[in-house]
Amino acid sequence: MKNKKLTARAKRLQRDTASATCASVGLDPAVYSAALRYLFDRPVPDKSGQEWYWLIDEPEFDATPLQWTHIQTVLFANAGTDLAPYSDEQVGMGLNHVMSNNAGDIPHMANDPSVPLADAMRMMRALPTLWRDCLGPRLDTGTSPIGSRSDRLCFVSYMWFDVWPTFWNAKDIPEWRDAMWQVFCEMLAMPFRAAQESALHGIGHEGVRLKRPKELQAHMDAFIRQVKNDDELKNYAQAAARGMVQ
């Protein structure tokens, strides 16, 4: 799908998430700037090296669960501009640390009992903007077989909802299920194949946990009908609706 014009709904969502700033969430701008440097201002290792977050002597970033939730909210909502100075590989490394608990607890922060549900839901409302303004445009460089690319940025985009423990930890909370459903719907409506692939991959793994089978199937059927000249994406969507993705 190569239509790059935003729909009226996408424009409205863009306006809604534009208000997620340090001031609006109550985050010290200095803390946010330090978090950006901590996550993304890092050298890219060579093929035999390790990412910076595996280093034993690397100090952890000192922030509370609520601060980390606010950091993620502002980051997701402003990734298009705030991550512009960094390369695709740097962005991939930093976002991998945000989405995966393989080397830290950042994705668990929004699940902490000290974080009000309203703050976690604000973070979730900002999440699709990460694809709309950052990952989607960066990865919009041609069509590759789904799941075939192994570079850091594509891995993060494609695997986010497969390895991200945040929703899994909150899947029994109705507000989280509703928020996750909204994230998938917004991503499927984006004019970027990478965003659609990520959403479909996530639906294939997490769709049953949304507990809205009829609504999910109807939405998937509608998505499949509007896919043109992309049999691979259409077939992948059909598999995702059945929970049959790898």
Side-chain angles (χ1 to χ4, degrees):
M1 300 177 63
K2 300 300 289 183
N3 177 21
K4 298 304 173 186
K5 292 182 179 180
L6 290 177
T7 64
R9 181 172 181 273
K11 291 178 180 178
R12 185 178 67 254
L13 291 169
Q14 185 175 18
R15 292 192 298 270
D16 291 344
T17 55
S19 61
T21 64
C22 288
S24 70
V25 304
L27 177 65
D28 184 344
V31 172
Y32 180 63
S33 296
L36 288 180
R37 293 192 298 272
Y38 172 78
L39 290 168
F40 302 104
D41 192 10
R42 301 286 186 168
V44 179
D46 57 32
K47 292 184 178 181
S48 61
Q50 288 185 317
E51 282 81 356
W52 59 272
Y53 45 76
W54 290 111
L55 302 177
I56 297 177
D57 57 352
E58 178 65 36
E60 295 186 5
F61 189 80
D62 186 18
T64 67
L66 183 58
Q67 284 177 316
W68 265 121
T69 302
H70 290 165
I71 289 167
Q72 291 177 87
T73 302
V74 179
L75 171 62
F76 297 156
N78 299 279
T81 54
D82 292 354
L83 299 186
Y86 305 107
S87 70
D88 287 354
E89 291 291 277
Q90 287 176 307
V91 171
M93 278 198 304
L95 289 179
N96 191 26
H97 196 36
V98 170
M99 78 166 185
S100 175
N101 62 340
N102 60 1
D105 293 327
I106 297 174
H108 294 296
M109 295 302 179
N111 303 126
D112 192 271
S114 66
V115 176
L117 181 61
D119 291 83
M121 294 300 95
R122 182 165 50 188
M123 183 196 78
M124 289 294 285
R125 289 194 298 272
L127 180 56
T129 313
L130 175 63
W131 275 266
R132 190 197 68 215
D133 291 352
C134 180
L135 295 176
R138 281 179 181 257
L139 293 170
D140 187 40
T141 57
T143 301
S144 301
I146 295 174
S148 64
R149 288 178 54 175
S150 59
D151 54 278
R152 290 180 174 89
L153 193 68
C154 193
F155 174 83
V156 163
S157 177
Y158 182 66
M159 294 293 291
W160 189 286
F161 301 106
D162 192 349
V163 305
W164 191 53
T166 310
F167 175 65
W168 171 263
N169 292 335
K171 63 185 181 297
D172 295 325
I173 300 173
E175 291 87 350
W176 275 90
R177 293 198 299 268
D178 291 345
M180 190 72 262
W181 168 244
Q182 186 62 35
V183 168
F184 287 146
C185 289
E186 290 182 30
M187 291 175 65
L188 287 176
M190 291 178 189
F192 301 109
R193 195 177 193 260
Q196 295 168 349
E197 290 174 7
S198 180
L200 292 172
H201 194 174
I203 288 170
H205 285 280
E206 306 292 354
V208 67
R209 298 183 181 92
L210 299 174
K211 296 187 177 181
R212 56 209 319 149
K214 292 182 179 179
E215 189 178 0
L216 174 61
Q217 188 60 59
H219 199 87
M220 295 300 290
D221 289 344
F223 174 80
I224 291 166
R225 285 195 299 270
Q226 57 86 42
V227 173
K228 307 298 182 184
N229 303 317
D230 194 338
D231 288 342
E232 184 191 29
L233 187 65
K234 183 176 295 187
N235 292 336
Y236 194 70
Q238 292 170 339
R242 300 191 303 270
M244 301 290 289
V245 298
Q246 298 297 320

